[in-house]
Amino acid sequence: MKDAVSGSDKNPSFGKTWGSSTSSGYCSGDSDSEFDQYFTARTSFICKPKKEKDEQVKCGKQQELSGTEIQQKVKEYNAQINSNLFMNPNKDGSYTGFIKVQFKLVRPVSVPPPRKGTATQDGAGKKNGGVKRCTSFYLPKDTSKHLHISSRTCAREVIEALLKKFTVVDNPGKFALFERTERHDQVFLRKLSDDERPLELRLYAGPNEKALSLVLKENETGEVNWDAFSMPELKNFVRMLQREEEEHVKQILQRYALARTRMQEAQAAASIPGGSSASGSTPG
């Protein structure tokens, strides 16, 4: 695949990096405290529905076009664009062209650490290369990438190509490609299946970004794909869940203790003869 380099496609400057033996995929860039990071992990585990402006909808598959119809569609598409990102038909009935994918990731991604010329050693002279380390960072907002693909390229291949362009080592199963459309002042978001072909969607919708734009997001499904995580990540998630459980138990115990104290105070006040009204009266 070829990529078209634009101003937004340059390697971004990553302001937040740190060394990690695992990819810290569940901490939030806006969280300052440890509890906030832990809370972000908790909400990701439970997969609660997010209140977003985008509404997920299901759309039917596009009708297959003949070779002549495809050539006509390509001509109409090329006549509407104001750049050199044209589509080109092939003799075998396929065609090639460019798609633009916007990144909307809320979790950091992991890349290999910079290579060092010599291996580090500890005081005993042993190499410290037993643990694989990686660097995690947050992609800047509004990051986008152009890819030159074929009409036969599926959504899963597009995701893999995007991760390769940014040298991201995270499992592609953690990400999903979405189709974003705007209709009647409303925004609709639809997750593409792995075998859908993004360039076909681009051709059918035309070059207008409001009619269709492609977005890369985390793969938020009803179930977490635990097979996509490494063993250190899974152990870290278990520790987070244990801390979440302990925090919930603590809050529940405090709530019931407070309610019990208030009820006991009410019972003590009710057991006083005459109640509170007798304290201000005098005998006649």
Side-chain angles (χ1 to χ4, degrees):
M1 298 182 187
K2 300 178 182 178
D3 59 308
V5 179
S6 62
S8 59
D9 296 336
K10 295 180 181 179
N11 292 333
S13 59
F14 307 114
K16 189 171 185 178
T17 61
W18 62 89
S20 173
S21 58
T22 60
S23 59
S24 304
Y26 283 91
C27 59
S28 171
D30 298 330
S31 300
D32 296 329
S33 66
E34 183 181 1
F35 178 75
D36 289 336
Q37 296 180 0
Y38 164 65
F39 180 78
T40 304
R42 176 177 64 81
T43 55
S44 300
F45 291 140
I46 301 176
C47 296
K48 293 181 180 180
K50 296 182 177 180
K51 296 181 179 180
E52 298 178 344
K53 294 181 180 179
D54 296 340
E55 179 182 354
Q56 295 191 13
V57 295
K58 293 183 179 181
C59 298
K61 291 186 177 181
Q62 296 287 349
Q63 198 172 20
E64 292 290 337
L65 300 178
S66 64
T68 304
E69 291 173 328
I70 289 176
Q71 292 183 358
Q72 182 62 31
K73 273 279 189 183
V74 169
K75 288 181 180 179
E76 294 175 357
Y77 181 92
N78 291 339
Q80 298 178 56
I81 62 176
N82 299 321
S83 63
N84 59 348
L85 305 180
F86 297 105
M87 289 193 185
N88 298 305
N90 299 322
K91 294 181 179 180
D92 59 359
S94 65
Y95 50 95
T96 58
F98 292 89
I99 61 170
K100 179 182 177 182
V101 181
Q102 299 174 346
F103 289 74
K104 289 191 176 181
L105 304 177
V106 297
R107 302 171 191 154
V109 295
S110 302
V111 297
R115 295 183 179 180
K116 296 182 179 180
T118 58
T120 59
Q121 296 185 351
D122 56 15
K126 296 181 180 180
K127 294 182 179 179
N128 293 329
V131 179
K132 293 183 178 179
R133 304 181 68 85
C134 60
T135 302
S136 299
F137 60 84
Y138 291 89
L139 281 173
K141 293 181 179 180
D142 300 326
T143 300
S144 62
K145 189 73 174 177
H146 282 89
L147 288 180
H148 187 252
I149 63 174
S150 166
S151 58
R152 296 173 180 172
T153 305
C154 64
R156 178 53 50 187
E157 293 172 326
V158 169
I159 294 174
E160 293 173 354
L162 290 169
L163 299 182
K164 184 177 180 181
K165 291 294 180 183
F166 286 93
T167 65
V168 175
V169 297
D170 292 306
N171 192 307
K174 296 181 181 180
F175 306 92
L177 201 61
F178 288 80
E179 170 193 83
R180 188 177 187 272
T181 58
E182 297 182 25
R183 298 192 302 270
H184 309 296
D185 296 329
Q186 290 184 329
V187 177
F188 300 91
L189 196 68
R190 182 179 71 90
K191 179 182 175 181
L192 302 185
S193 61
D194 289 346
D195 58 349
E196 285 193 74
R197 300 172 179 177
L199 192 61
E200 283 188 354
L201 299 175
R202 179 80 279 163
L203 177 64
Y204 295 151
N208 190 342
E209 290 288 325
K210 289 187 176 182
L212 180 141
S213 60
L214 297 172
V215 181
L216 183 71
K217 301 179 66 176
E218 280 84 3
N219 190 10
E220 299 288 357
T221 60
E223 298 180 358
V224 177
N225 182 19
W226 297 113
D227 294 334
F229 297 95
S230 64
M231 182 61 68
E233 287 178 317
L234 292 173
K235 290 181 179 179
N236 191 39
F237 298 156
V238 171
R239 287 194 296 267
M240 289 179 177
L241 287 175
Q242 184 176 359
R243 292 181 59 185
E244 174 197 348
E245 180 183 4
E246 293 173 355
E247 183 65 25
H248 276 295
V249 171
K250 181 180 178 181
Q251 292 177 358
I252 291 174
L253 291 176
Q254 290 177 346
R255 188 183 310 126
Y256 277 90
L258 179 61
R260 186 182 300 108
T261 300
R262 290 178 177 176
M263 285 187 289
Q264 289 174 348
E265 291 176 351
Q267 290 176 347
S271 63
I272 298 176
S276 57
S277 60
S279 59
S281 60
T282 56

